[in-house]
Amino acid sequence: MKLVQRSILAVERERLWDFLMDVPRVARCIPGVEAIEPAGENRYRGVLNVQIGPVRLALGGTVTLEEQDRNGWQAALRAEADDRGAGGGIRARMTARLAPAPTGIELVVETDLAVLGKIGEFGQPLIKKKADGLMQAFAVNVRAALGRAPSSRE
Amino acid sequence: MTLRIRLSVNGSAREVLIPSSRRLIDFLRDDLGLTGTKEGCGVGVCGACTVLLDGRMISSCLALAAFADGAEVTTVEGLADDERLHPVQQAFIEYGGAQCGICTPGQVVAAKALLDEVPNPTEGEIREWMLGNLCRCTGYYKIIESIQKAAGHARL
Amino acid sequence: MHAFDYTAPESLASALAELEEAGDEGKVIAGGTALMILMMQRLVRPTRLISLRRLPGLGRIEVVDGGVRIGALATHRDVETSPLIRSRIPVLAETLSRVATLRIRNVATIGGCLAHADPNQDPPVTLLALDARVRIAGRQGERQVALDEFFVDYYQTALRPGEVVVAVDVAFPAPGNASAFHKFLPRTADDYATVAVAATVTLTPEGVCREARIGLGALGPTPLRARDAEAIVIGERLSDRLLAAASEAAIRVVDPIADPRGSAEYKRQMAGVFVRRALRGAWDRASREAA
């Protein structure tokens, strides 16, 4: 399943980039992420709690920053997480690109997502919807976080 | 958690202790040894696990054994009267309603429930009633024919 | 399946008390056809199950001020075969007779169907067109919610923690009113619909539409009302142009997802086709009523 999410953030590209490469900080902008901690170079361990109706998943696993191209303004990461109870999980490769837009910087996140086991049977479409919702909330939270933090120009 | 339930299975009263998460099908097959009831799909679609709960046919794979507390359960083992088969069972044998047999207990129990409610069903009524009992061998013609014949016998 | 505590309280008050006490860990079960599958797949793992099956009188189907009250524990089969429903609200009996298989309909309850809030289910579609109201009980007492406001999102309803559905109320149709339910089943007769549409219209003796409601199923995160399409047909007489305009308006409110029953675009197109069919079906019946 391929997902594309776009959001425009009114900040300088450099600042957004530096922020996005700070994985624990970024993770705090994703609703449901708990206890993210370093687990090696460019690697983090954490848990994402997701609720869809009566289904509550605790996806525990790792996020690995695989590519950081500051010149091309593009980064890639791999996420692997499982819900032990349900017997299933997700495997995702995400690419984030920062492109100039008339009102700020457009953050384009492309995700190639595989949903495994019972979770996948329950509903790929629900996962997609959830991912869209998470991404929207993420953009709002990033805006808030960058708004609060002092800008490098100030 | 352990539950004490009282129920009747094929006419004999029982009082048993079961884990509260026990499914009705597992209770029947594993605890009581009534292995005539089969598990096919496990999600209520195929009909192999059909049993009667207070005369109504249900999927025993989607029911907790706790649901049978105070109720009467009829499985395929409860259809024959001593040595005499139920007319539906007899007709399935005579008219080739069974082949590999995995779906047959469910088919027979569903057909019995039909004839209990509609003693002389039309072919359309049989097809509609039986649409949730899947068969992958004989095809459905022989099953429908067997039920029609059983209805004829039951009337005699 | 995982281990859980199971109780079957014998009064609504004790069921509500137990539910409150169980909090997040508790889950209500009635027929169980939906919840059992989610539990077997280990997607839902409540540590306490509170069964409503022993609550007295909650399965009654009875006449109350100008309509019928269907108790939450009435099974689909109870409603489908109820002489009262068959004679007074036939479209509801017709809709329920086409849900899944008899084995499921013998067990699945109306209250459970609403609380499960799967947008692919049939009964909510017709109940929306019939402008049904949901009766909800909690420790604070009973409240009523229009079905239209009951569904919030995929598998999410307006039920607050500790509340249960106790009944659904449906008014008897007015003179000159008729309804139709159409669903598209390209795979098997017991499958979820690719799209499902229910329409109800009330005609004046001259054949002009006074009132119309359209319910849509499997076409968004919740069962939907096609309000713009309803507004288009009210005040009008039946014509192909009218049906085309209404179906275009209905297509604009749907947000289907691609699944093995069809692509999103295909479902959008089918929504238009089935809105036309359901409206025409309801209209034809209503004309015969009026004649």
Side-chain angles (χ1 to χ4, degrees):
Chain A
M1 172 165 45
K2 291 213 170 26
L3 309 170
V4 182
Q5 280 117 352
R6 298 165 187 277
S7 39
I8 291 181
L9 297 141
V11 287
E12 311 86 78
R13 185 145 65 175
E14 296 73 13
R15 209 171 141 229
L16 182 56
W17 175 267
D18 292 343
F19 177 80
L20 290 176
M21 293 307 109
D22 183 351
V23 172
R25 239 181 121 196
V26 167
R28 283 197 292 275
C29 293
I30 301 172
V33 169
E34 66 172 62
I36 188 114
E37 54 189 42
E41 197 186 345
N42 289 331
R43 211 170 137 84
Y44 301 86
R45 201 188 318 278
V47 177
L48 172 66
N49 293 304
V50 182
Q51 177 156 12
I52 304 165
V55 177
R56 270 178 275 175
L57 302 172
L59 294 162
T62 58
V63 170
T64 311
L65 206 46
E66 290 191 334
E67 184 193 332
Q68 296 181 62
D69 175 6
R70 200 174 194 273
N71 297 323
W73 302 107
Q74 182 165 311
L77 61 80
R78 179 174 299 278
E80 301 183 341
D82 293 312
D83 180 290
R84 281 224 206 107
I90 58 157
R91 301 289 178 268
R93 188 176 154 87
M94 303 175 77
T95 335
R97 225 172 39 239
L98 300 185
T103 54
I105 297 297
E106 186 180 39
L107 167 63
V108 183
V109 179
E110 288 177 318
T111 308
D112 193 353
L113 176 69
V115 187
L116 314 175
K118 297 298 179 195
I119 304 172
E121 287 171 33
F122 175 66
Q124 304 268 350
L126 295 186
I127 304 281
K128 177 179 182 329
K129 189 183 154 71
K130 199 75 202 175
D132 284 337
L134 281 182
M135 199 58 202
Q136 277 166 24
F138 173 69
V140 169
N141 292 340
V142 169
R143 265 183 218 119
L146 288 175
R148 272 201 311 273
S151 157
S152 53
R153 285 199 193 156
E154 282 167 8
Chain B
M1 179 188 187
T2 304
L3 285 179
R4 179 181 299 276
I5 61 169
R6 292 183 191 83
L7 73 168
S8 147
V9 180
N10 296 329
S12 61
R14 292 170 184 268
E15 184 169 340
V16 291
L17 288 172
I18 50 157
S20 50
S21 59
R22 190 61 123 205
R23 293 183 306 164
L24 182 56
I25 187 169
D26 301 323
F27 168 67
L28 293 170
R29 288 178 54 88
D30 301 343
D31 297 352
L32 302 186
L34 296 171
T35 53
T37 304
K38 308 300 181 196
E39 180 159 14
C41 68
V43 290
V45 170
C46 77
C49 71
T50 305
V51 300
L52 307 185
L53 187 66
D54 286 335
R56 280 186 160 196
M57 65 173 182
I58 67 160
S59 295
S60 60
C61 74
L62 290 189
L64 290 173
F67 292 178
D69 188 21
E72 204 170 289
V73 178
T74 307
T75 69
V76 70
E77 289 90 344
L79 300 195
D81 182 10
D82 288 329
E83 295 308 301
R84 248 184 78 204
L85 292 177
H86 186 277
V88 170
Q89 293 171 308
Q90 193 61 44
F92 266 67
I93 293 169
E94 285 178 27
Y95 298 94
Q99 193 172 319
C100 89
I102 187 82
C103 74
T104 310
Q107 303 277 2
V108 167
V109 171
K112 177 214 170 349
L114 167 63
L115 298 186
D116 286 349
E117 194 167 313
V118 189
N120 192 14
T122 63
E123 187 184 328
E125 285 170 323
I126 297 175
R127 283 173 176 269
E128 205 184 316
W129 188 281
M130 301 297 294
L131 80 77
N133 285 83
L134 306 184
C135 168
R136 291 289 174 258
C137 311
T138 66
Y140 297 97
Y141 293 97
K142 293 285 186 189
I143 291 171
I144 291 164
E145 191 187 344
S146 302
I147 298 170
Q148 286 171 320
K149 299 293 186 193
H153 283 298
R155 277 202 311 281
L156 292 176
Chain C
M1 223 175 335
H2 69 289
F4 48 77
D5 287 351
Y6 176 94
T7 50
E10 297 191 4
S11 76
L12 184 58
S14 35
L16 292 171
E18 287 189 24
L19 190 57
E20 185 176 60
E21 188 204 310
D24 249 13
E25 297 304 314
K27 192 87 187 139
V28 164
I29 191 162
T33 48
L35 185 56
M36 284 289 288
I37 292 178
L38 290 172
M39 289 196 303
M40 282 190 278
Q41 292 181 331
R42 306 183 59 80
L43 287 167
V44 177
R45 299 181 294 272
T47 57
R48 279 188 71 175
L49 269 193
I50 297 149
S51 166
L52 303 184
R53 300 172 71 92
R54 282 185 183 280
L55 299 191
L58 214 58
R60 269 202 293 269
I61 300 172
E62 58 193 352
V63 176
V64 285
D65 11 286
V68 59
R69 174 162 300 163
I70 304 168
L73 288 185
T75 65
H76 288 46
R77 183 67 168 169
D78 292 338
V79 180
E80 164 193 351
T81 55
S82 153
L84 176 65
I85 304 281
R86 283 191 168 189
S87 62
R88 301 297 303 275
I89 314 175
V91 70
L92 190 54
E94 192 185 314
T95 303
L96 287 160
S97 74
R98 298 178 60 201
V99 171
T101 64
L102 190 45
R103 279 193 322 278
I104 300 298
R105 300 202 297 277
N106 275 339
V107 174
T109 64
I110 287 295
C113 166
L114 297 179
H116 183 50
D118 178 339
N120 298 316
Q121 292 169 316
D122 301 326
V125 178
T126 296
L127 288 169
L128 267 183
L130 294 171
D131 209 14
R133 300 183 69 76
V134 188
R135 295 184 71 82
I136 295 169
R139 294 272 269 164
Q140 273 32 276
E142 283 205 13
R143 65 186 180 111
Q144 270 195 63
V145 174
L147 189 59
D148 199 13
E149 288 157 19
F150 181 74
F151 299 112
V152 174
D153 203 343
Y154 287 105
Y155 305 96
Q156 280 172 40
T157 67
L159 282 175
R160 299 176 190 136
E163 287 186 328
V164 298
V165 173
V166 287
V168 59
D169 288 352
V170 185
F172 289 132
N177 173 279
S179 304
F181 171 74
H182 284 250
K183 69 168 164 174
F184 185 37
L185 291 171
R187 306 203 305 181
T188 59
D190 61 343
D191 195 10
Y192 282 111
T194 295
V195 307
V197 180
T200 182
V201 298
T202 309
L203 301 183
T204 65
E206 295 75 37
V208 174
C209 177
R210 276 200 301 120
E211 199 186 5
R213 281 184 303 273
I214 300 167
L216 307 169
L219 285 164
T222 67
L224 303 167
R225 277 278 294 277
R227 289 186 182 275
D228 292 348
E230 293 168 6
I232 285 172
V233 300
I234 291 170
E236 302 291 332
R237 286 170 194 279
L238 183 64
S239 71
D240 288 343
R241 258 183 42 208
L242 184 71
L243 292 181
S247 77
E248 274 167 35
I251 288 174
R252 284 195 291 272
V253 303
V254 305
D255 181 20
I257 48 181
D259 67 12
R261 296 177 191 92
S263 67
E265 186 47 35
Y266 180 67
K267 290 183 186 182
R268 253 191 295 277
Q269 296 305 316
M270 286 301 110
V273 172
F274 278 74
V275 163
R276 276 203 297 277
R277 287 185 192 175
L279 268 177
R280 186 181 288 282
W283 212 296
D284 287 349
R285 284 178 180 176
S287 320
R288 284 199 295 276
E289 290 269 308

